Amino acid sequence: MSFKIDLAYIRNTIFKMIPPEAGVTRLEFEGPEIAIYVRNPRFLIEQGGIVGQLAKAIKKRIVIRTDPSVRRSKEETIEFIMSVLPPDVRKDAEIVFDDVLGEVVIKVKNPQRLGEIAKKILVETGWRPRLVRAPPMKSRIYEEIMAGYLAESEYRLKFLRELGESIHRDVLLAKNSNNYVRVTFLGAAQEVGRSAILVETAESRILLDFGLNPGRALNPNAFPRLDLINIEPEDIDAVIVTHAHLDHCGLVPYLFKYGYRGPVYATEATRDLMVLLLKDFLEIAEREGHDPPFTMKDVEKMLLHTIALKYNVVTDIAPDIRLTFYNAGHILGSAIVHLHIGNGFYNIVYTGDFKFARTRLLERADYSFPRVDALIMESTYGATTQPSREEAEKQLISIIKRTIERGGKVLIPTLSVGRAQEIMLVIANAINNRELPEVTVYIEGMIHEVTAIHTAYPELLSKPLRQALYSGENPFEHKCFHRVEGKEPRTEIVETGEPCIIIATSGMLTGGPAVEYFKLMAPNPKNSLIFVSYQVEGTLGRKIKDGLREVTFVGSNGKIQVIKVNMEVYSVEGFSGHSDKNQLLDYLRMITPKPSKIFLVHGEPNAINSLKNSIMSLSRRGKLGLRPGTEIIVPKILDSHTLAFNL
Ligand code: ZN
């Protein structure tokens, strides 16, 4: 059977299964979905299940849209919506219309409760409701992205229709009898940074991640080397972003700068965090006088071309490729990529960065897939084991407790995404359990904005956190947290008042408010500095961790300031968002079904080699349950591997 998508078959099936009373007026592609325009949505909605059956029959995602002629006036529509929303939801609902798509955007606190009401609104008003969550904490980026999409709705629709045509184009070569799959490692091969993998078939070219190397200056070695294999950005059919860290997505706007106009697939949370982190990257570059490789315009273009996907939903992204995202447990929105190529021809799982253990913030990574032939796995901690979460939390709490009891203050420098939220939850929990006294926790830097984005996507969070947010309780708004805005209050926080905790960026003291607090707090021996993340060689954080006790700063006025480090310095391991060595090996033990090829990427050479040796020796003793003859491959940069061919 060929994988060719038969458009005539789709059309016939739709017309056969949809009752004529529904009044279908036209069918359109919208990116990976098929939009069915009808005059009378009642016949589809009230005969529950028909849309689902249809989607199953044609193996497509379907969206029901209404013919403009049947849409009621906006005034009537608002009135109707208000009359059906429950009173507690109604009181702060926001309603906006998208004339291009015929959608009414309804922003409410708990959209997950309103499924049945949404159907009613579509049937009665002819406007298709799009339920959007109003997060309990206001996020500027989230609001801007929503408003941006609304303002550019016409451009978006045109892009989605053209993309739909190209995804559903007639397959030229790639029948099962005539296909191949090849992967080329453009970055993150025996290194950490600039993740980028090119997947090619007879029909398509897909990029998995396109990151930069944040540790290096902005020279070509910080970039994935698309140029060296003679591929132009416009030759790419799709870009898939696993998560918002810059070493995975940092150069996607650069593709747009040089002519890429295709889709970027990511989860909604990744999309929001990606825009926030890219914006921050450009602001820092400007402040430090660097010439960034792209501008905010390119970031905006990227956003307009981004298609947000949920976990566990199969999506056509090319005539011969289906993409499914799975939870990766690394940061909010992080995804493991599953590619189904051809009709059962080949299957690739790419982990991106992943955590194979539960954290307070996220569930552990998914390990069960419909099919797996090749597994491409990160190996960051391939050589190291980390203490358990419980031990890490205990250690953190006891250092904080000791510091507070002697009247000192605690500085915890963190990354803004993930680690900060995790530490906030640990502290709030310890206060609730009376393991810590009621102490004020000051939050500064981008952390607040990132935390707000977390509250917009409770469905992506760990079960306890999700349930808390659904029930209207927000642990991130625990009474201990105080947000600091502007520079003025810093001296006051440090020099006066009660013992307290300060959580600030950046995590390695390379800049940001954490450094300013450090300068103020370091001389006092009662205070503590606690690192909760890896300190990269060369950073101030690493130097202090390694014992530096006198730090020289040059002020903006050229004045030299020498700071004595009398505060206590600690490093608590175990909060990493990556799987440690045991968790990586556990993942191979658990993954189902078992791959026949395993590629180890995203790790320093010693980490990858150590992991490879452990896999080989455990595997020889039958401890991982891998199939006999499973290949373990450590690709070098620019290596290409043909995974399957049938030519
Ligand atoms: Zn990452």
Side-chain angles (χ1 to χ4, degrees):
M1 186 179 143
S2 100
F3 193 64
K4 189 173 153 176
I5 294 156
D6 191 335
L7 294 182
Y9 170 76
I10 290 178
R11 202 168 292 270
N12 285 340
T13 313
I14 289 173
F15 280 101
K16 211 163 31 189
M17 287 181 74
I18 291 186
E21 294 90 331
V24 175
T25 55
R26 65 199 159 104
L27 305 175
E28 298 271 7
F29 289 119
E30 274 181 24
E33 300 181 319
I34 291 186
I36 304 177
Y37 283 77
V38 296
R39 275 211 197 84
N40 207 340
R42 185 183 300 270
F43 284 89
L44 296 179
I45 302 305
E46 288 181 353
Q47 295 190 24
I50 188 165
V51 176
Q53 285 163 25
L54 187 56
K56 224 173 180 172
I58 60 172
K59 291 202 173 117
K60 291 276 141 202
R61 284 164 50 191
I62 291 173
V63 46
I64 300 296
R65 300 209 176 281
T66 54
D67 194 78
S69 65
V70 303
R71 293 175 200 157
R72 278 164 71 175
S73 80
K74 290 180 186 172
E75 292 71 30
E76 285 175 314
T77 302
I78 293 175
E79 204 175 303
F80 180 79
I81 292 172
M82 287 307 189
S83 77
V84 288
L85 288 180
D88 61 315
V89 176
R90 188 191 310 150
K91 69 179 185 325
D92 34 29
E94 282 174 49
I95 298 174
V96 205
F97 290 87
D98 184 334
D99 294 294
V100 179
L101 292 177
E103 289 187 337
V104 54
V105 183
I106 309 171
K107 207 164 146 194
V108 292
K109 277 203 180 112
N110 277 314
Q112 75 277 5
R113 283 169 41 198
L114 303 178
E116 282 307 307
I117 290 177
K119 288 181 189 165
K120 226 186 240 170
I121 294 170
L122 173 64
V123 169
E124 291 300 326
T125 69
W127 289 87
R128 180 171 188 269
R130 196 193 322 157
L131 297 169
V132 172
R133 184 175 166 86
M137 298 166 86
K138 232 181 162 70
S139 151
R140 239 191 30 220
I141 283 283
Y142 184 77
E143 307 268 323
E144 279 174 20
I145 289 174
M146 296 296 153
Y149 278 139
L150 214 52
E152 296 286 349
S153 193
E154 216 159 327
Y155 179 94
R156 266 291 278 181
L157 187 59
K158 188 167 163 275
F159 158 66
L160 287 174
R161 288 199 175 145
E162 284 168 9
L163 173 65
E165 301 285 337
S166 118
I167 291 173
H168 300 102
R169 70 188 180 257
D170 272 350
V171 173
L172 304 170
L173 299 162
K175 310 236 167 92
N176 255 0
S177 57
N178 201 358
N179 204 352
Y180 67 89
V181 182
R182 181 169 61 203
V183 289
T184 304
F185 296 87
L186 302 173
Q190 301 185 30
E191 63 178 357
V192 175
R194 57 164 169 174
S195 284
I197 300 167
L198 178 68
V199 179
E200 291 172 282
T201 70
E203 193 60 38
S204 324
R205 281 174 171 156
I206 310 286
L207 272 177
L208 302 177
D209 286 334
F210 203 67
L212 54 79
N213 190 332
R216 292 197 195 150
L218 293 172
N219 65 40
N221 280 339
F223 288 29
R225 302 309 301 268
L226 206 53
D227 55 326
L228 293 182
I229 54 168
N230 285 322
I231 288 191
E232 297 295 328
E234 66 259 35
D235 301 334
I236 302 293
D237 293 294
V239 178
I240 299 168
V241 173
T242 57
H243 66 287
H245 281 149
L246 292 182
D247 60 327
H248 291 259
C249 72
L251 286 170
V252 176
Y254 178 81
L255 295 171
F256 282 91
K257 182 172 174 177
Y258 289 99
Y260 179 64
R261 289 295 176 268
V264 175
Y265 295 99
T267 62
E268 283 173 296
T270 295
R271 173 196 67 198
D272 298 359
L273 291 172
M274 192 160 65
V275 172
L276 183 68
L277 293 179
L278 287 166
K279 216 172 158 182
D280 184 58
F281 168 77
L282 289 177
E283 280 165 12
I284 292 171
E286 192 181 348
R287 219 180 304 138
E288 295 181 349
H290 300 308
D291 220 0
F294 53 83
T295 65
M296 202 53 210
K297 257 210 177 93
D298 305 309
V299 176
E300 280 156 12
K301 211 57 341 128
M302 175 197 80
L303 183 57
L304 284 180
H305 288 248
T306 298
I307 296 178
L309 302 180
K310 296 197 182 308
Y311 291 144
N312 309 314
V313 176
V314 183
T315 301
D316 290 298
I317 61 163
D320 62 341
I321 301 183
R322 290 196 167 122
L323 161 67
T324 315
F325 280 144
Y326 291 84
N327 172 39
H330 171 61
I331 59 169
L332 179 73
S334 63
I336 292 176
V337 169
H338 181 272
L339 294 181
H340 177 82
I341 299 167
N343 215 359
F345 181 59
Y346 205 78
N347 294 270
I348 297 174
V349 169
Y350 168 47
T351 63
D353 294 351
F354 77 108
K355 178 80 178 173
F356 197 46
R358 276 195 65 188
T359 61
R360 287 192 182 269
L361 209 52
L362 304 170
E363 292 296 321
R364 75 168 177 179
D366 289 331
Y367 57 87
S368 173
F369 306 94
R371 292 170 181 199
V372 187
D373 297 301
L375 170 70
I376 305 172
M377 185 170 85
E378 70 127 319
S379 324
T380 320
Y381 284 108
T384 33
T385 52
Q386 296 266 316
S388 72
R389 278 288 151 144
E390 293 72 30
E391 289 168 59
E393 291 191 8
K394 249 193 207 139
Q395 199 193 347
L396 178 73
I397 296 302
S398 89
I399 299 168
I400 294 175
K401 193 160 175 270
R402 279 204 308 274
T403 310
I404 289 170
E405 281 169 356
R406 64 170 181 252
K409 298 184 167 70
V410 178
L411 173 61
I412 307 177
T414 67
L415 303 160
S416 61
V417 181
R419 206 66 48 86
Q421 290 72 32
E422 183 78 15
I423 300 295
M424 285 169 78
L425 293 175
V426 172
I427 293 173
N429 187 63
I431 292 175
N432 289 344
N433 295 339
R434 301 179 189 284
E435 291 161 303
L436 279 181
E438 296 209 354
V439 61
T440 304
V441 183
Y442 294 99
I443 308 291
E444 198 173 329
M446 238 165 50
I447 296 168
H448 181 84
E449 178 68 25
V450 172
T451 306
I453 295 175
H454 279 70
T455 66
Y457 302 105
E459 69 280 8
L460 303 183
L461 299 171
S462 70
K463 210 170 158 203
L465 197 50
R466 188 188 327 153
Q467 280 167 346
L469 283 162
Y470 280 160
S471 71
E473 176 207 329
N474 178 6
F476 295 113
E477 284 180 319
H478 191 279
K479 61 180 186 301
C480 68
F481 298 125
H482 283 251
R483 182 182 174 194
V484 184
E485 280 173 288
K487 292 174 187 157
E488 291 71 31
R490 286 179 195 154
T491 320
E492 204 182 305
I493 290 169
V494 174
E495 282 168 10
T496 59
E498 297 291 302
C500 64
I501 303 168
I502 296 146
I503 303 178
T505 54
S506 74
M508 302 182 206
L509 294 180
T510 47
V515 174
E516 302 309 315
Y517 281 107
F518 169 76
K519 289 181 192 167
L520 295 167
M521 294 169 72
N524 185 343
K526 283 186 184 168
N527 294 339
S528 294
L529 170 65
I530 311 176
F531 294 114
V532 289
S533 56
Y534 184 73
Q535 303 297 305
V536 170
E537 195 89 46
T539 58
L540 177 59
R542 177 62 172 264
K543 288 176 191 157
I544 294 168
K545 192 188 154 193
D546 287 349
L548 184 74
R549 287 298 171 264
E550 211 171 74
V551 186
T552 310
F553 291 96
V554 183
S556 51
N557 52 3
K559 239 170 95 181
I560 288 178
Q561 193 186 7
V562 179
I563 302 281
K564 278 224 178 325
V565 188
N566 299 323
M567 75 199 300
E568 293 188 355
V569 178
Y570 299 92
S571 179
V572 178
E573 314 282 328
F575 286 113
S576 172
H578 291 275
S579 305
D580 76 350
K581 181 171 199 161
N582 290 333
Q583 290 159 355
L584 290 168
L585 292 169
D586 271 347
Y587 196 72
L588 294 179
R589 203 171 283 129
M590 295 291 284
I591 189 172
T592 160
K594 296 293 182 220
S596 57
K597 284 186 168 71
I598 299 171
F599 291 89
L600 301 178
V601 298
H602 199 286
E604 299 297 341
N606 71 320
I608 293 200
N609 290 329
S610 163
L611 182 62
K612 182 181 174 180
N613 291 339
S614 301
I615 296 172
M616 305 275 264
S617 87
L618 285 170
S619 191
R620 263 196 301 274
R621 286 179 280 144
K623 301 273 190 197
L624 294 178
L626 295 175
R627 292 190 238 165
T630 302
E631 287 178 72
I632 316 292
I633 303 152
V634 177
K636 292 192 299 294
I637 204 123
L638 290 184
D639 273 0
S640 279
H641 289 260
T642 302
L643 301 180
F645 63 93
N646 198 351
L647 297 171

